[in-house]
Amino acid sequence: MTNNQYLKATFLMCTAILASVLHTTSKALMLQPNGEQKGQVENVDRAMHHLRVKRGWVWNQFFVLEEYTGLEPLYVGKLHSDMDRGDGSIRYILSGEGAGTMFTIDDNTGDIHAIQRLDREEKAQYVLRAQAVQRQTGMPLEPESEFIVKIQDINDNEPQFLDGPYRASVPEMSMTGTSVLQLTATDADDPTYGNSARVVYSIMQGQPYFSVEPKTGIIRVSLPNMDREAKEHYELIIQAKDMGGQLGGLAGTTTVNITLTDVNDNPPRFPQKLYQMSVPESAPVGSIVGRVRAKDLDVGINAEMRYTIIDGDGRDTFDINTDPTNQVGIITIKKPLDFESKKSYTLKIEGANTHVDSRFLNKGPFSDVTIVHISVEDVDEPPKFDSSSYYVEVAEDVEIGTVFQIVSAKDPDISNNSVRYSIDRSSDREKYFYIDLTSGALMPARPLDREEISWHNITVLAVEMTNPSQFGTVSVMVKVLDVNDNPPELAKYYEAFVCENTKAGQLIQTVTAVDLDDPLAGQHFYYSLAPEAANNPNFTLRDNQDNTAFVLTRRGGFSQQEQSIYYLPILISDGDQPMQSSTSTLTIRVCSCDADGNVMSCTAEPYTLPVSLSRGALIAILACIFVLLVMILLILSLRNYKKKPYLTDEEENVHENIVRYDDEGGGEEDTEAFDIAAMWNPREAQLSKIRQDMVPEIESLSRYVPQTCMRESNVHSYVLSKLYEADTDLCAPPYDSLQTYAYEGEGSVADSLSSLQSVSTNNDHDYDYLSEWGPRFKKLADLYGVSEANDVLW
């Protein structure tokens, strides 16, 4: 026995002895009278509490294996008190965790059994309490005792990889022993008991590339120089086995997917050492000529490339750019191409990695070179002028047909086709200019006038004779130079006035002139009176030498009665060559002025309104007259509107009514005739106004036409009911009413009785056939037919 077992046995023995002594003392006290017994028992209880009395149990092993699957309850242990004499007077009680559900006790013997399967992984131990009581009285013989039932582990759980399956990565070309991933498998068994939870790792699939450490579960590289470009993905199966890997242990597996990541261990290489490309000479600058690509087995940043032109005769004409998405070198045009001057170019292009790994420099160089030969294709180009634009100055008095500019263009192609010239008429709509078809000589086709148009911007076309679709254009800017061909004139129409009481030498007007010409030296005008007015006794002119002139009076004492208007001719000339002059007339009116020289009147006295009637009053009177006229027109329109006859909504409805009157000669004064509106709205027929001049003799319809027809919206039913009422009314004369319906009666042998479609004739008609149509037409037969007294039934 171990030391722990010896200590445990000694402790149990001492507890049993102490319990026996206490039991004997309790028994003795129980035999005394009640009062003393009670006090002594209480003292014993207090003594027991202070002495921490131990139980006198007989202990068995309270350990039980988990996962018991037998048919009988599993025996756990036995509880026995030293007070139990085996006579059945003591009853054992079990309480605590699982009592009654997981564990039961035999109350006579104290045997404890497990009645359900126990699982240590769910609950490793149970805390229970036991007590021995007097079976008859139920009084406890000893205080309640607590004990623990521990569940012993068995190897019933295999190791599990809770985080699997796993994914990991490791750089390609890694050295042997490089750590990739550490796996951990968990075992639910008790790690403190036996080897049930001691796990050992092994690799089932993935050799010889990878290995796993048995104790730690670390996966390492076991094969050097693994190349991603040869194989990128690996699938490993790792096993974890308990019982230290011994036979009979449980095992679990997981999958590990390992990917080799890329490193820059492959230099770029062009698949071709020579590329042939072509481009038309008409391609604009910036156009793409072609693409080159150096292949790199690496990916991502390790495959990034930079392309450059390192040599060749086309370095100044072409350029290359790198497309970062596809790692392609794009060759573009840097300068315009000309097949006639150079037909081909050669480029030496280098493609190099931008990120180089120093560990793999021995596999380099990480760049490659290729040659690109570019051919320039000939294109039928339009003619080109020897100048991009022309600027010409032409005097406005140039004669028609005078050549002032020659434009020249030629075909840049090798064929050098002939060129013909023309003017784009959208730039010269008025056809001021003409160009010679073959020489390109420009000349005016009509007189030029600078004062009308000072600039002409025309477009000249040069067209190939063999291919008219090929043409070139050039702009010719023509500036029309000024020529002194316009005389000066007064700047505006002047109308001066002179007071009757003016004095000699009085200034009455300052005049200025304008000239459409624009001389280089500026405008300078000369003023004087026309020769015919040089000795004018009334007025004189003084040139101020600043392009202005004063008109002055030569005498005083003008009178409107003598002469009210004077005309003064003024001669104006410019200082340019050839000199131009014109004569303008200044109108001078004689006016009556006040003492300060302010004009009062230059003509007859104007009509003025009376002082008593202001302008505002006149406007108010006119406004009142306008309002009255509007009201009169409104009243007249209302009267005309009232005189118009009332028209129904549909003027096409023409009705013919035969109305019965009680008195003859009533004529149009009888307004109580048959209300035809009732037939348009049968629902209101019962509410229609009853004629005051007659009393209906029939208050209801016959049995052939029920009264419900009156309430129906079917016009047909309403007409039938009214027809029956008229047929049975022996006092009322028959009447004919024409209405526009979808049909005029079902089953009528007489069709329509409307007089609108009756035959118009003056001859008598034979109405004997009416008596054959039945009782509905009996009245008509009596009125219009040949009646016999014996045949008429009243």
Side-chain angles (χ1 to χ4, degrees):
M1 296 179 66
T2 63
N3 294 331
N4 291 334
Q5 289 176 339
Y6 280 119
L7 292 174
K8 187 175 182 180
T10 304
F11 174 75
L12 294 176
M13 186 178 296
C14 293
T15 303
I17 294 171
L18 181 60
S20 178
V21 173
L22 293 175
H23 179 68
T24 305
T25 305
S26 299
K27 257 180 107 175
L29 292 174
M30 291 175 65
L31 298 175
Q32 297 179 6
N34 293 337
E36 296 179 359
Q37 179 181 355
K38 181 176 180 182
Q40 294 174 358
V41 170
E42 290 177 355
N43 293 332
V44 172
D45 288 340
R46 286 195 294 271
M48 290 173 63
H49 178 71
H50 291 292
L51 294 176
R52 299 177 65 184
V53 180
K54 302 297 182 181
R55 302 293 176 269
W57 302 110
V58 177
W59 294 91
N60 289 335
Q61 185 72 20
F62 282 74
F63 293 90
V64 60
L65 290 176
E66 64 173 336
E67 303 294 344
Y68 173 74
T69 58
L71 299 178
E72 297 295 332
L74 177 63
Y75 180 75
V76 177
K78 184 180 184 64
L79 298 178
H80 184 75
S81 175
D82 56 359
M83 297 181 184
D84 188 359
R85 301 293 181 246
D87 55 359
S89 61
I90 295 178
R91 183 167 65 90
Y92 296 95
I93 300 175
L94 184 67
S95 63
E97 295 179 341
T101 57
M102 302 294 294
F103 303 96
T104 61
I105 188 171
D106 189 336
D107 60 355
N108 289 322
T109 63
D111 293 332
I112 302 174
H113 291 81
I115 59 176
Q116 290 193 16
R117 183 180 64 86
L118 301 176
D119 189 356
R120 190 201 66 82
E121 286 72 36
E122 293 182 2
K123 191 171 180 62
Q125 65 181 17
Y126 294 86
V127 179
L128 297 171
R129 295 182 298 277
Q131 190 175 30
V133 299
Q134 184 70 32
R135 183 178 296 276
Q136 293 181 355
T137 62
M139 296 295 294
L141 299 178
E142 297 173 357
E144 191 177 53
S145 177
E146 182 179 274
F147 63 94
I148 297 175
V149 177
K150 292 187 177 181
I151 310 301
Q152 289 183 332
D153 182 53
I154 63 172
N155 189 18
D156 60 341
N157 292 278
E158 72 277 2
Q160 294 182 353
F161 294 92
L162 301 180
D163 298 329
Y166 298 87
R167 292 185 179 274
S169 62
V170 63
E172 62 174 334
M173 299 296 174
S174 295
M175 299 177 60
T176 302
T178 302
S179 176
V180 179
L181 178 68
Q182 183 175 10
L183 304 179
T184 301
T186 59
D187 195 322
D189 293 325
D190 189 359
T192 63
Y193 180 77
N195 295 327
S196 298
R198 189 163 68 89
V199 179
V200 175
Y201 300 94
S202 62
I203 183 169
M204 307 294 293
Q205 176 181 313
Q207 303 94 339
Y209 307 103
F210 299 93
S211 62
V212 62
E213 293 183 356
K215 294 182 178 180
T216 62
I218 299 176
I219 300 175
R220 298 184 182 275
V221 176
S222 60
L223 187 66
N225 299 325
M226 287 192 293
D227 191 1
R228 184 198 67 84
E229 288 72 33
K231 185 176 181 180
E232 185 177 3
H233 301 287
Y234 296 86
E235 184 179 77
L236 280 64
I237 297 179
I238 305 299
Q239 182 189 68
K241 190 174 184 181
D242 60 11
M243 298 296 293
Q246 298 178 2
L247 184 65
L250 302 178
T253 61
T254 187
T255 301
V256 181
N257 293 305
I258 300 178
T259 302
L260 297 183
T261 58
D262 185 62
V263 296
N264 192 7
D265 59 339
N266 293 279
R269 292 292 179 263
F270 283 103
Q272 297 176 224
K273 291 301 179 181
L274 177 64
Y275 290 87
Q276 293 286 346
M277 299 180 184
S278 62
V279 59
E281 63 175 335
S282 60
V285 174
S287 300
I288 297 176
V289 178
R291 295 173 173 84
V292 294
R293 180 181 181 184
K295 292 185 178 180
D296 194 331
L297 298 178
D298 298 321
V299 294
I301 192 175
N302 298 316
E304 289 184 0
M305 204 79 59
R306 180 182 67 253
Y307 296 91
T308 55
I309 300 175
I310 59 176
D311 199 1
D313 58 359
R315 295 179 63 180
D316 297 333
T317 309
F318 298 93
D319 196 4
I320 188 168
N321 299 306
T322 303
D323 181 4
T325 303
N326 302 316
Q327 301 301 323
V328 175
I330 303 174
I331 302 173
T332 58
I333 300 174
K334 186 190 294 186
K335 293 182 178 180
L337 303 177
D338 187 7
F339 173 81
E340 287 72 28
S341 61
K342 190 171 179 59
K343 298 178 176 60
S344 64
Y345 297 87
T346 300
L347 303 176
K348 188 176 182 180
I349 297 177
E350 179 188 58
N353 283 142
T354 57
H355 300 85
V356 180
D357 194 334
S358 59
R359 297 175 299 171
F360 306 102
L361 290 177
N362 58 338
K363 295 186 177 183
F366 285 83
S367 62
D368 197 13
V369 177
T370 188
I371 303 299
V372 178
H373 184 268
I374 301 175
S375 299
V376 180
E377 298 178 351
D378 186 24
V379 176
D380 189 6
E381 299 176 272
K384 292 184 178 179
F385 287 90
D386 56 5
S387 179
S388 60
S389 62
Y390 295 90
Y391 171 77
V392 186
E393 293 181 349
V394 180
E396 63 178 327
D397 61 349
V398 64
E399 294 183 2
I400 296 175
T402 301
V403 177
F404 61 84
Q405 179 67 43
I406 296 176
V407 297
S408 177
K410 65 178 182 179
D411 185 7
D413 299 322
I414 296 178
S415 59
N416 194 15
N417 294 316
S418 299
V419 176
R420 294 294 180 263
Y421 301 94
S422 63
I423 296 177
D424 185 0
R425 288 306 173 187
S426 63
S427 63
D428 185 26
R429 299 184 183 277
E430 301 298 329
K431 299 182 179 180
Y432 281 98
F433 301 96
Y434 169 78
I435 190 170
D436 186 75
L437 185 64
T438 57
S439 65
L442 275 169
M443 58 196 76
R446 53 181 292 187
L448 303 179
D449 188 357
R450 187 201 66 85
E451 289 72 35
E452 182 180 353
I453 302 177
S454 60
W455 282 90
H456 295 270
N457 190 0
I458 61 176
T459 301
V460 177
L461 289 78
V463 183
E464 291 185 10
M465 287 189 61
T466 57
N467 187 6
S469 63
Q470 296 295 330
F471 62 90
T473 61
V474 69
S475 176
V476 180
M477 294 170 286
V478 180
K479 181 180 181 181
V480 181
L481 299 178
D482 183 51
V483 174
N484 191 28
D485 57 349
N486 292 281
E489 297 177 350
L490 289 178
K492 62 180 181 178
Y493 173 75
Y494 290 98
E495 186 173 359
F497 68 91
V498 60
C499 295
E500 291 180 321
N501 56 356
T502 189
K503 297 179 181 179
Q506 184 75 34
L507 174 64
I508 62 173
Q509 184 66 52
T510 301
V511 295
T512 59
V514 293
D515 193 339
L516 297 178
D517 296 323
D518 188 15
L520 296 177
Q523 299 283 3
H524 186 74
F525 303 125
Y526 301 92
Y527 300 89
S528 63
L529 293 178
E532 63 271 18
N535 298 320
N536 191 304
N538 301 312
F539 304 97
T540 185
L541 182 71
R542 185 174 69 188
D543 192 345
N544 299 322
Q545 300 300 316
D546 60 353
N547 291 340
T548 64
F550 289 161
V551 178
L552 306 172
T553 58
R554 179 169 287 184
R555 67 178 180 86
F558 292 91
S559 176
Q560 289 185 10
Q561 285 75 16
E562 293 179 0
Q563 187 175 348
S564 61
I565 298 177
Y566 293 89
Y567 298 99
L568 184 66
I570 300 175
L571 178 64
I572 309 173
S573 60
D574 54 24
D576 204 357
Q577 296 296 328
M579 187 180 67
Q580 300 288 337
S581 63
S582 66
T583 301
S584 299
T585 302
L586 175 65
T587 302
I588 303 174
R589 295 181 180 274
V590 179
C591 302
S592 59
C593 303
D594 56 11
D596 296 330
N598 298 320
V599 177
M600 296 178 58
S601 174
C602 296
T603 57
E605 290 293 329
Y607 173 79
T608 58
L609 292 174
V611 178
S612 59
L613 185 59
S614 64
R615 183 171 298 176
L618 181 59
I619 294 174
I621 293 173
L622 293 176
C624 292
I625 294 174
F626 176 75
V627 172
L628 290 176
L629 290 175
V630 171
M631 293 179 63
I632 292 171
L633 292 175
L634 181 61
I635 293 172
L636 292 177
S637 62
L638 291 175
R639 287 185 178 180
N640 293 334
Y641 177 77
K642 290 182 179 180
K643 290 181 179 181
K644 292 182 180 180
Y646 173 78
L647 298 178
T648 59
D649 292 337
E650 296 181 0
E651 295 182 358
E652 294 81 7
N653 293 338
V654 180
H655 308 290
E656 178 182 357
N657 296 331
I658 300 178
V659 185
R660 185 189 70 182
Y661 297 96
D662 289 342
D663 55 340
E664 295 183 359
E668 295 180 354
E669 295 179 358
D670 186 4
T671 59
E672 300 296 329
F674 175 76
D675 186 9
I676 198 64
M679 300 189 70
W680 295 349
N681 190 2
R683 293 183 180 273
E684 298 180 0
Q686 295 178 350
L687 301 177
S688 60
K689 183 173 65 175
I690 302 175
R691 291 189 56 172
Q692 299 177 1
D693 60 339
M694 61 179 294
V695 178
E697 297 179 314
I698 300 176
E699 297 295 333
S700 64
L701 302 177
S702 67
R703 59 185 178 88
Y704 299 100
V705 182
Q707 292 185 358
T708 57
C709 295
M710 296 291 293
R711 294 186 296 271
E712 294 179 358
S713 61
N714 191 349
V715 177
H716 175 58
S717 302
Y718 179 77
V719 171
L720 289 178
S721 63
K722 285 297 183 180
L723 181 60
Y724 180 82
E725 180 181 353
D727 289 341
T728 56
D729 187 4
L730 302 180
C731 298
Y735 59 87
D736 190 12
S737 177
L738 173 65
Q739 296 289 343
T740 302
Y741 300 111
Y743 54 90
E744 292 190 346
E746 185 179 358
S748 175
V749 297
D751 296 328
S752 176
L753 297 180
S754 174
S755 61
L756 295 179
Q757 296 180 354
S758 302
V759 179
S760 300
T761 178
N762 295 327
N763 298 330
D764 295 335
H765 294 280
D766 186 5
Y767 297 99
D768 293 338
Y769 60 86
L770 296 176
S771 59
E772 300 175 359
W773 287 357
R776 294 185 178 182
F777 303 95
K778 187 174 185 305
K779 290 186 178 181
L780 291 176
D782 294 340
L783 293 175
Y784 298 98
V786 180
S787 61
E788 296 180 3
N790 296 331
D791 297 334
V792 178
L793 299 177
W794 293 94

